[in-house]
Amino acid sequence: MLDPDARAEGEASAPAGGTVPETVATYLRLRGLEPSARSFRKRRRRVADDENAPFTPGRDPRGVGDVLSALTREAGWDKELAREDVVRAWSDVAGEDTAGHTRPVAFSEGTLTVQADSTAWAKQLQLMRAHILSEIVRRFPDAGVDAIRFIGPDVPSWKWGPRTIPGRGPRDTYG
């Protein structure tokens, strides 16, 4: 056996008498270890991978809908998506005629706010509140809608600004 200082660059010898490839010997020398034939010839133990074995449970392909459903459930998006479904299916829930005069505008703390075209529509929908709420809860239980609030049209208000005068003001503006 040669002295480690007397070795040629391309040659490496192992203490057990076997030869070690030059790349492995160089790696081990750089790491500060002495190359040995045993560490090179050690076989890697094969691990049984049941996940990739054929004909095992869970190997059947899944549909895109199932994959997306699992993704949204794991991400915690079910409540938000159910609320979006309420808005998307508003014409089915409230009826075509009613949906033509109303639109959902907000969700806050379990309350769905619906804006109507006129105050008459808003008042009529207040009378139909129980029916519409039960339909939403039946169709979309994950949405978390506990109450519905109906508001009238969004009209301008003159009750703000630095020069506002308290009180009723003139009443002959709109005849």
Side-chain angles (χ1 to χ4, degrees), residues 81-102:
L81 290 175
R83 287 179 174 180
E84 293 300 320
D85 287 342
V86 170
V87 173
R88 186 181 50 79
W90 178 247
S91 62
D92 295 335
V93 172
E96 291 292 328
D97 191 32
T98 304
H101 295 280
T102 60

Side-chain angles (χ1 to χ4, degrees), residues 1-174:
M1 192 183 262
L2 294 173
D3 185 28
D5 297 330
R7 285 188 204 152
E9 257 183 57
E11 148 184 358
S13 64
T19 60
V20 178
E22 179 183 347
T23 55
V24 174
T26 305
Y27 171 75
L28 291 173
R29 266 188 256 121
L30 289 173
R31 294 278 319 250
L33 303 171
E34 184 64 30
S36 69
R38 184 168 185 199
S39 66
F40 175 69
R41 292 182 188 216
K42 189 175 183 181
R43 277 204 169 268
R44 197 168 161 189
R45 184 178 240 180
R46 186 176 172 106
V47 178
D49 190 6
D50 291 338
E51 182 179 307
N52 292 327
F55 308 113
T56 57
R59 291 276 301 163
D60 294 332
R62 298 187 317 175
V64 174
D66 296 335
V67 171
L68 289 177
S69 175
L71 174 72
T72 58
R73 185 177 51 254
E74 290 170 6
W77 298 340
D78 283 340
K79 188 173 185 177
E80 287 81 10
L81 290 175
R83 287 179 174 180
E84 293 300 320
D85 287 342
V86 170
V87 173
R88 186 181 50 79
W90 178 247
S91 62
D92 295 335
V93 172
E96 291 292 328
D97 191 32
T98 304
H101 295 280
T102 60
R103 64 185 174 98
V105 292
F107 278 105
S108 95
E109 300 175 4
T111 302
L112 170 65
T113 303
V114 178
Q115 185 175 20
D117 288 348
S118 66
T119 54
W121 272 102
K123 188 61 178 176
Q124 181 63 30
L125 288 174
Q126 286 176 1
L127 300 173
M128 297 173 47
R129 177 184 322 223
H131 173 70
I132 294 173
L133 182 60
S134 64
E135 189 69 20
I136 290 173
V137 170
R138 185 181 68 81
R139 287 188 185 195
F140 308 102
D142 293 337
V145 178
D146 300 329
I148 300 178
R149 179 175 162 233
F150 296 103
I151 58 173
D154 197 18
V155 295
S157 172
W158 289 278
K159 294 271 185 186
W160 58 275
R163 296 190 176 103
T164 303
I165 299 171
R168 291 178 41 138
R171 292 288 167 219
D172 62 348
T173 306
Y174 289 34

